[in-house]
Amino acid sequence: MHPIETESYQILRSRVDTAELPALCRAAVERIVHTTADPTWVGDVVAEESALSAGVTALRAGVPVVTDVRMVAAGITAHETVIALDLPGVAELASEADLTRSAAGIRLAARHWPAGAVWAIGNAPTALAELVRLTVAGAVRPALVVGVPVGFVGAVESKAALRTAGIAALSTRTERGGAAVAAAAVNALLYFEEQEN
């Protein structure tokens, strides 16, 4: 780590105790807190260590990270990303199927990456809701879903659906989330060994 980042993490740990969290959960929560400068994320982030471990394994195997929007992909610079919203045919599918463009992008991405990808949803609750629907239906089998869409309409509900569906996931309990949070969670897994050294 750069000395400034090291100092930042020292300050973070002086303000909030994450020592009791399992290693990968701690890495994810701390990176989210570091990214946002907001220690209250500690009680908002929900993840199982086994789910994050599956995500690390998949990332190390070279699976892509499928994101809902460009802003999430922009924050993940050390790994291949696919932006669902930018796939050909999104606008047409959205119109034909009466979906939001974000949900249409997820539906198209699921056809291209039906098994093993890591999914990072940081913007649209409709994108996460569609990914959950497709996973429950057996149309897609994610290695891990980072589901942290933001907003007052559908965000809490889509994240609750993700958790109750039994999908390997990291999510938040509240309306909070966003592209930077989604990217931070993925980066925590990508840089896990580096953080631990």
Side-chain angles (χ1 to χ4, degrees):
M1 276 192 214
H2 188 278
I4 292 174
E5 188 174 6
T6 300
E7 183 179 359
S8 182
Y9 273 90
Q10 289 170 347
I11 293 168
L12 180 161
R13 289 170 183 155
S14 75
R15 294 187 183 181
V16 63
D17 185 8
T18 59
E20 297 302 316
L21 293 173
L24 287 166
C25 289
R26 181 181 187 194
V29 168
E30 286 187 347
R31 189 165 282 265
I32 290 168
V33 171
H34 180 263
T35 297
T36 61
D38 182 356
T40 64
W41 286 102
V42 173
D44 201 354
V45 176
V46 180
E48 294 289 332
E49 191 75 358
S50 59
L52 299 183
S53 180
V56 169
T57 299
L59 291 168
R60 289 180 180 166
V63 304
V65 177
V66 182
T67 71
D68 56 338
V69 293
R70 293 182 199 106
M71 287 300 295
V72 177
I76 303 167
T77 58
H79 198 81
E80 176 194 0
T81 58
V82 174
I83 303 162
L85 194 60
D86 288 349
L87 292 174
V90 166
E92 294 80 1
L93 178 59
S95 177
E96 292 165 12
D98 193 27
L99 296 168
T100 66
R101 291 182 66 218
S102 296
I106 295 301
R107 189 175 291 183
L108 286 174
R111 295 174 188 169
H112 292 283
W113 295 276
V118 170
W119 296 71
I121 310 298
N123 182 60
T126 58
L128 182 56
E130 180 66 8
L131 181 57
V132 170
R133 186 191 72 75
L134 291 167
T135 304
V136 170
V140 63
R141 295 184 313 280
L144 174 69
V145 176
V146 174
V148 291
V150 64
F152 295 114
V153 179
V156 170
E157 295 82 0
S158 66
K159 290 181 268 194
L162 173 65
R163 291 190 298 274
T164 59
I167 300 166
L170 177 147
S171 65
T172 54
R173 300 179 197 278
T174 66
E175 295 91 351
R176 298 192 304 168
V181 173
V186 173
N187 286 333
L189 304 181
L190 288 169
Y191 297 119
F192 179 67
E193 287 185 335
E194 179 181 316
Q195 284 183 335
E196 295 303 296
N197 293 333

